[in-house]
Amino acid sequence: MNKYIEMEKIYAKSEDVVARDLHGEFIIIPITSGIGDLEDELFTLNEFGKEIWDRLDGKRNVTELVEGLYSDYEASPGEIEMDVAGFMGELLRRGIIVEV
C-alpha cells in the first residue's frame, strides 16, 4: 500500500520502534512484529535523516519541520521538501512513524 506524506499533517515516532546510535551509525529497530520488511528490519539513517528524526516531535506539521531545515542545509526549499516527504513517506510505509 502506498502512503503519502501530507504537508499539513503531524507525524510522530511510532512506539513500536527504538532508535539508537551504535558506533556512529544511527539505526531504528522494530520492537514488535509487523514493522519494517523481513529482509530489512533495521533502518539506518544518514545525517539528514537523523535531523528529520530528531524533529519528529508530534507537535509540528511537516511544513513547519521543513521550514526548520532551510537554514541548516544548502538546498532549495523545493528540494528539501521533496527529500523530507520521500523519507517520511518511507518511514510511514514501514510503520516507523504514525500520523498524530
Side-chain angles (χ1 to χ4, degrees):
M1 173 184 354
N2 288 334
K3 297 202 177 190
Y4 297 97
I5 293 298
E6 296 181 42
M7 300 304 285
E8 71 281 357
K9 291 196 174 176
I10 298 172
Y11 298 89
K13 300 165 188 166
S14 170
E15 294 180 4
D16 295 329
V17 299
V18 294
R20 296 286 185 264
D21 186 345
L22 297 173
H23 307 291
E25 193 168 31
F26 194 82
I27 60 170
I28 299 172
I29 307 160
I31 56 174
T32 62
S33 62
I35 302 294
D37 297 329
L38 289 177
E39 69 262 1
D40 191 23
E41 289 189 17
L42 301 180
F43 197 78
T44 304
L45 303 184
N46 63 18
E47 179 183 327
F48 188 65
K50 170 87 167 62
E51 189 70 35
I52 295 167
W53 182 259
D54 289 343
R55 293 170 190 249
L56 283 168
D57 59 7
K59 298 175 185 171
R60 292 179 272 193
N61 68 27
V62 180
T63 298
E64 294 168 319
L65 190 148
V66 167
E67 288 171 353
L69 293 168
Y70 290 159
S71 62
D72 295 339
Y73 292 91
E74 294 181 17
S76 73
E79 288 175 306
I80 291 173
E81 184 176 316
M82 189 170 62
D83 288 349
V84 168
F87 174 70
M88 288 181 62
E90 182 64 18
L91 295 180
L92 183 63
R93 182 186 73 77
R94 292 175 183 241
I96 294 172
I97 64 172
V98 295
E99 185 180 330
V100 175

